[in-house]
Amino acid sequence: GAVVSQHPSRVICKSGTSVKIECRSLDFQATTMFWYRQFPKQSLMLMATSNEGSKATYEQGVEKDKFLINHASLTLSTLTVTSAHPEDSSFYICSARQRGSGGGEDTQYFGPGTRLTVL
Amino acid sequence: QQQVKQSPQSLIVQKGGISIINCAYENTAFDYFPWYQQFPGKGPALLIAIRPDVSEKKEGRFTISFNKSAKQFSLHIMDSQPGDSATYFCAASWGYQKVTFGTGTKLQVIP
């Protein structure tokens, strides 16, 4: 299947700093990418949908000024956690939607996740 | 709001046995039902998926059973192996849009 990478895989930062997480589709173009957040032993919660060349669509309760999303190209979306605080510590996972070929189905491929720890 | 309910929360199965995980959904607009497997510290990986016009789909040891009228679907893992030990998430989406995940089932296959 297609590959989605994330960088960094793990980041530790001080409270008040901003952290940028990159999500790349390595072997396909993705007009749509999604950002999820997962707390320990819990399910994935969608934060926002990122569309190339347009503003991201945020889920209810997600602060768009806190979690800045930029989808600058068909293979790259970034999530910036601004002024991070300990409660932002979590596992952040992106996914990219690959269009089905020849009338086939679209498929979402997930990245390996980024573990953010805010001290 | 929890639109996809999943059970059990955890499951222990003997090697060679059948693992069964159940999910129920509320939104009848959902038209795509994938199952994901997630290992600790990793992102989820697509395992198998089904559309509501099919009642069953089998890929290797993994089978999805789908009951549209009951709005339920389940994952069966035949001949379960220790390597299958992971957390499994059912999910649902509409029109290739955002995926709503179930709460997850932690499967442990013991030798």
Side-chain angles (χ1 to χ4, degrees):
Chain A
V3 178
V4 175
S5 70
Q6 279 185 242
H7 178 80
S9 58
R10 185 181 298 266
V11 57
I12 300 173
C13 69
K14 292 183 178 179
S15 184
T17 60
S18 294
V19 175
K20 180 185 283 188
I21 302 170
E22 293 185 348
C23 176
R24 293 182 185 274
S25 56
L26 297 186
D27 49 4
F28 66 99
Q29 293 183 332
T31 55
T32 304
M33 292 183 173
F34 303 89
W35 286 96
Y36 295 83
R37 184 173 181 176
Q38 185 178 33
F39 291 106
K41 298 183 180 180
Q42 293 191 23
S43 188
L44 286 77
M45 299 300 295
L46 180 67
M47 299 175 64
T49 301
S50 169
N51 295 295
E52 188 268 336
S54 64
K55 291 184 178 180
T57 303
Y58 290 82
E59 293 301 299
Q60 191 174 11
V62 177
E63 301 175 57
K64 60 181 181 181
D65 295 329
K66 173 77 171 176
F67 300 98
L68 300 179
I69 291 173
N70 184 280
H71 195 153
S73 76
L74 289 173
T75 58
L76 173 64
S77 176
T78 60
L79 168 68
T80 301
V81 183
T82 61
S83 186
H85 288 91
E87 58 266 29
D88 298 324
S89 298
S90 188
F91 194 49
Y92 292 87
I93 305 171
C94 72
S95 72
R97 191 172 82 195
Q98 182 185 40
R99 291 288 187 182
S101 59
E105 296 187 354
D106 290 6
T107 303
Q108 267 198 50
Y109 294 97
F110 285 79
T114 296
R115 174 75 59 193
L116 170 64
T117 303
V118 185
L119 303 177
Chain B
Q1 70 283 12
Q2 184 60 49
Q3 295 191 52
V4 182
K5 297 181 179 179
Q6 184 172 346
S7 64
Q9 191 174 19
S10 62
L11 182 62
I12 299 176
V13 173
Q14 202 87 29
K15 177 183 176 182
I18 303 174
S19 304
I20 302 174
I21 304 171
N22 300 298
C23 284
Y25 63 98
E26 300 170 5
N27 189 346
T28 54
F30 287 141
D31 61 0
Y32 181 67
F33 300 88
W35 284 88
Y36 292 92
Q37 179 188 57
Q38 185 179 32
F39 292 103
K42 304 294 183 183
L46 178 65
L47 201 58
I48 187 173
I50 198 169
R51 291 207 167 271
D53 54 347
V54 176
S55 61
E56 185 175 284
K57 183 175 182 179
K58 183 177 181 179
E59 289 184 1
R61 296 186 293 113
F62 301 94
T63 300
I64 300 179
S65 297
F66 189 87
N67 186 329
K68 187 175 181 179
S69 61
K71 294 189 286 186
Q72 295 175 347
F73 58 111
S74 60
L75 175 70
H76 291 60
I77 306 175
M78 312 299 287
D79 187 27
S80 299
Q81 299 296 313
D84 296 331
S85 297
T87 299
Y88 292 81
F89 292 95
C90 63
S93 70
W94 171 78
Y96 300 118
Q97 298 304 315
K98 56 189 181 183
V99 176
T100 300
F101 283 82
T103 48
T105 296
K106 186 174 182 179
L107 170 66
Q108 184 180 0
V109 180
I110 55 177

